[in-house]
Amino acid sequence: NGQVQNVPLGTHYFIFTVRDICNQETKDTVAFKVLDRIAPTMVCNSDFVVSLGGGGMARITNADVNKSSRDNCDNALKLEVRRLIPAECAPDGVAGYSPWDAFVDLTCCDVGKLATIELRGTDKYGNSNTCITRLQVDDKLAPTCTPPPNRTINCNDIPAGLDISSLAVLQRNFGLPTVEDNCAVTWE
């Protein structure tokens, strides 16, 4: 049928031999290459939510994002991720992508938003493809609050007209609590 199938990638040769009725023979060789020009099939994991850790950060690796990406010739793909950094989280206030790397970091600025993560796979022949996932970023760590130390005050030492409903007055007279959180914290 004139078809050659299952030839491995690389350079190969057809050798043509022509023989006449007198048994005279001529040979000629023609080289041909089998190339991989098909991009990998990228499949992103889209079923996860990320929670920030104690440092106010979560690291997402290429393995976290990759669900079942594959290549037609070799499944040893080079996997890299990058993220879309929204303007409100970018140092210069301009939205853009992070560089391609083995991981991306999410921070407190991403809490309550969908983070866009892109996964790129490149095969050993330079063919590449991408997929995108969006994941919810949560902060599930509660802040800690340590009250000021106990203080004993004699009745005579209580300022006249002390307004115990005023937070500012109480703070001035009894001190401030120590409040810590992995992200920004407000207290009242």
Side-chain angles (χ1 to χ4, degrees):
N1 66 5
Q3 293 183 359
V4 178
Q5 296 179 354
N6 299 320
V7 179
L9 295 172
T11 302
H12 304 279
Y13 301 92
F14 285 120
I15 300 173
F16 294 96
T17 304
V18 177
R19 194 174 293 125
D20 64 15
I21 59 170
C22 297
N23 221 17
Q24 301 284 337
E25 184 177 281
T26 300
K27 290 186 179 187
D28 198 3
T29 304
V30 176
F32 70 95
K33 286 185 178 182
V34 177
L35 304 173
D36 176 10
R37 293 191 175 151
I38 299 173
T41 301
M42 302 304 295
V43 182
C44 282
N45 182 357
S46 60
D47 300 327
F48 66 102
V49 174
V50 64
S51 293
L52 298 183
M57 186 187 80
R59 180 159 283 176
I60 307 299
T61 68
N62 51 25
D64 295 327
V65 179
N66 184 35
K67 184 170 186 177
S68 59
S69 300
R70 60 197 171 282
D71 188 55
N72 63 316
C73 291
D74 181 8
N75 280 327
L77 294 173
K78 177 183 179 186
L79 297 175
E80 301 170 290
V81 288
R82 70 178 182 175
R83 65 164 298 199
L84 177 61
I85 303 171
E88 62 271 17
C89 297
D92 59 2
V94 178
Y97 280 96
S98 66
W100 290 106
D101 206 339
F103 61 87
V104 293
D105 291 328
L106 302 171
T107 64
C108 294
C109 186
D110 298 298
V111 171
K113 301 179 184 116
L114 287 175
T116 300
I117 311 289
E118 188 174 7
L119 174 69
R120 176 173 69 183
T122 305
D123 68 18
K124 66 182 178 182
Y125 300 102
N127 302 306
S128 65
N129 202 357
T130 61
C131 61
I132 294 175
T133 190
R134 290 177 180 82
L135 52 105
Q136 181 67 41
V137 182
D138 290 339
D139 174 14
K140 296 191 179 209
L141 295 177
T144 60
C145 179
T146 305
N150 289 336
R151 187 168 168 200
T152 303
I153 300 176
N154 290 323
C155 292
N156 296 340
D157 296 333
I158 296 176
L162 179 68
D163 180 5
I164 61 169
S165 65
S166 168
L167 182 61
V169 169
L170 291 173
Q171 289 173 346
R172 194 169 42 252
N173 285 280
F174 298 102
L176 299 171
T178 303
V179 181
E180 294 178 7
D181 189 45
N182 59 329
C183 291
V185 65
T186 58
W187 54 277
E188 47 185 67

